[in-house]
Amino acid sequence: YRRGQLLARDEVGDLVVVDIGFALPDPSWPVLFTDLDAAQLLPEFTAEMHKGDRGRIAVVGGGPGLTGAGRLAARAAFAAGAGQVHLIAPESSVAVFAAAEPDLQTVAQSFELPLGSAALTTLERAAAVIVGPGLGLHLERHRFVREILARAATGVVDADGLSAFGGRVDELRDAIGGRPMVITPHLGEFRALFPDLASGAAVDPWTAAATAAERLHATVLLKGVPTVVAGTGGTPVTVASGNPGLATGGSGDTLSGLIATFLAQGLPPVSAAALGAHVMGAAADVAALRHSARGMRPTDVIAAVPEIWRGWRLRLDAGWSIHPPVLHQLERPRHQ
């Protein structure tokens, strides 16, 4: 595929790549992430696994009035196969989660410093941490996020966790501290963090994401059409699955839960981010068939994730194959 075909999906429509004998592309070019790539990356489950093997996730968010963000991140983590999901939130939110989400384990902690002993223990035991969904905005919130990241082995920074560092990108880099972290900005959040890259981000997300990743020493997933994932020193990965039904509040929280679980299960950051974005896009296409792209919600996307696991498993068991000369097909995004 050419970059313009992926940037202008409505103008291009259905795409098919056919082998007519061209040489393989330059390995430094961005790679399109496919169903087969995703299925082969998906961590395997074994009969002797216990919940700790499947990954402990800590979600820091879901504050008062924003509990839905934390719930979506947690539900998505379970859908991705997490063994345990903890939610760290203020006491008033904990009461909501305890009643509505019996699968969750909760820790009461205000979004202010210092961190209590229960929150510290939860963060230190977590295989991956999500900070940001429903965290809320506050003048000193960046200090709180820095403390959370200092306790995290790996994880995802999203939403309000990124907004806390608007105009403070050097502080975000220092807070990440070279740990295997994924940040997941949409274009607005990206502009606030990297104003000098903003003008090119919409037309060349590959360069924008790669430059941002080098500056942060972290993995950057730049949401958009297409979504681009870039790490430090590697080839950017392009994710073109999904449809306009994902352009709704809560989709980013869902994505964070998926990525964090794959990080917790041992995937490197670029792979975890690409897999999470592709799974969400594929599940969104299933949800659009059920509910329409116009009417689907993030909860519909999460409910469709098991269909993706079953479909990939069946195709792998059947000997997933490519049938030359057709190498890949990409359908027009579903709009209705």
Side-chain angles (χ1 to χ4, degrees), residues 3 6-9 32 205-206 222-228 238-240:
R3 294 185 182 197
L6 299 177
L7 287 166
R9 296 293 292 114
L32 182 70
W206 297 274
L222 179 53
K223 302 171 188 173
V225 180
T227 287
V228 174
T238 307
V239 178

Side-chain angles (χ1 to χ4, degrees), residues 69-296:
R71 291 175 67 181
L72 288 169
R75 287 184 178 187
F78 278 123
Q84 282 186 318
V85 183
H86 302 259
L87 196 134
I88 300 172
E91 190 168 354
S92 60
S93 295
V94 163
V96 174
F97 290 117
E101 302 289 344
D103 307 314
L104 281 175
Q105 299 183 49
T106 56
V107 176
Q109 167 68 51
S110 71
F111 294 153
E112 306 291 341
L113 297 175
L115 296 175
S117 59
L120 288 170
T121 299
T122 300
L123 291 169
E124 288 165 1
R125 293 186 63 200
V129 174
I130 304 168
V131 58
L135 192 66
L137 299 176
H138 186 278
L139 185 62
E140 297 297 317
R141 190 68 79 222
H142 65 287
R143 301 184 190 280
F144 179 78
V145 177
R146 283 183 66 111
E147 188 66 20
I148 296 296
L149 294 179
R151 310 284 177 171
T154 186
V156 180
V157 188
D158 183 39
D160 296 338
L162 293 176
S163 297
F165 290 93
R168 294 186 171 100
V169 70
D170 289 343
E171 288 189 41
L172 177 58
R173 180 200 62 220
D174 294 343
I176 289 171
R179 288 182 290 275
M181 294 286 175
V182 178
I183 73 163
T184 57
H186 54 56
L187 278 174
E189 292 161 342
F190 189 86
R191 290 188 187 104
L193 287 169
F194 305 99
D196 61 315
L197 302 178
S199 60
V203 294
D204 186 4
W206 297 274
T207 298
T211 303
E214 292 293 339
R215 290 185 187 178
L216 285 179
H217 306 298
T219 295
V220 174
L221 183 151
L222 179 53
K223 302 171 188 173
V225 180
T227 287
V228 174
V229 182
T232 55
T235 301
V237 176
T238 307
V239 178
S241 61
N243 59 71
L246 287 172
T248 187
S251 291
D253 309 315
T254 301
L255 176 61
S256 293
L258 296 170
I259 295 173
T261 300
F262 301 137
L263 286 170
Q265 293 173 351
L267 289 187
V270 170
S271 297
L275 178 56
H278 189 77
V279 168
M280 190 171 76
D285 288 338
V286 172
L289 286 172
R290 293 175 178 172
H291 307 282
S292 80
R294 189 178 302 274
M296 77 185 198

Side-chain angles (χ1 to χ4, degrees), residues 35 38-39 42-45 79-80 279 282-283 286-287 290 300-320:
D35 280 352
L42 192 66
E44 289 284 346
F45 280 5
V279 168
V286 172
R290 293 175 178 172
D300 300 322
V301 176
I302 294 171
V305 169
E307 295 298 320
I308 305 305
W309 304 150
R310 284 192 286 267
W312 289 352
R313 183 73 267 162
L314 289 171
R315 292 171 71 182
L316 285 171
D317 289 346
W320 199 317

